[in-house]
Amino acid sequence: MKFFFIQVRYYLKKGCRSEFYRKFRDNNIIEMSRAEVGNIEYCMFFPMDSDDDICILEKWESKENIEAHQNTLHYAILNELKEKYVEKVEIKKYWVEELM
C-alpha cells in the first residue's frame, strides 16, 4: 500500500505548549482529521528534545485527500491557533510504500 506521510513540527512560543495543546484538543482537531475520507493515521507527539514543540504525524491515501483536509473548518481553526502560538512550522512530506 502506498500513502502520503507528513511529519509536522510546530515550534511554539516559549511556555505556550500546554495552552496550544488544550485548544487543539478542545476543538477536536485530531478526531475530525481522523474522520476525514482518506486519512489513515493522525497522531500528536511531544518531542523529548523540547518542552515547547509539538509534532504531528499524518498518513493520507492521496494528495486529493490532503487538499480536502486543508479546506476543512478544523484546519482553518488550526491555522488560527498557529498564528497565535507558533513561531515556526517545519513540514516534511513523503510518498511511502509500506513493506509487508
Side-chain angles (χ1 to χ4, degrees):
M1 174 175 153
K2 288 188 176 182
F3 58 87
F4 283 92
F5 179 80
I6 303 173
Q7 176 183 327
V8 181
R9 186 167 185 146
Y10 296 121
Y11 294 89
L12 298 163
K13 295 175 184 174
K14 192 83 175 149
C16 289
R17 182 164 77 177
S18 293
E19 187 173 348
F20 177 84
Y21 171 73
R22 183 176 45 77
K23 291 188 178 193
F24 196 98
R25 184 195 63 217
D26 291 350
N27 281 288
N28 298 309
I29 294 171
I30 291 174
E31 293 79 10
M32 295 182 82
S33 296
R34 287 177 178 165
E36 289 181 56
V37 172
N39 181 266
I40 301 167
E41 188 173 346
Y42 193 99
C43 301
M44 177 185 279
F45 299 94
F46 298 135
M48 294 180 70
D49 63 349
S50 171
D51 292 332
D52 294 307
D53 300 348
I54 285 181
C55 294
I56 305 287
L57 301 180
E58 307 175 42
K59 291 181 187 177
W60 295 91
E61 291 178 1
S62 72
K63 285 184 181 179
E64 293 78 19
N65 298 135
I66 296 166
E67 291 168 1
H69 169 65
Q70 293 170 338
N71 290 306
T72 61
L73 176 58
H74 55 277
Y75 193 87
I77 292 168
L78 174 57
N79 281 331
E80 290 174 11
L81 294 175
K82 289 190 302 190
E83 285 182 30
K84 185 173 182 180
Y85 298 104
V86 176
E87 288 185 345
K88 176 182 155 188
V89 178
E90 181 180 273
I91 301 173
K92 296 179 182 178
K93 298 179 182 179
Y94 307 92
W95 180 240
V96 177
E97 183 172 0
E98 192 171 27
L99 301 175
M100 293 186 81

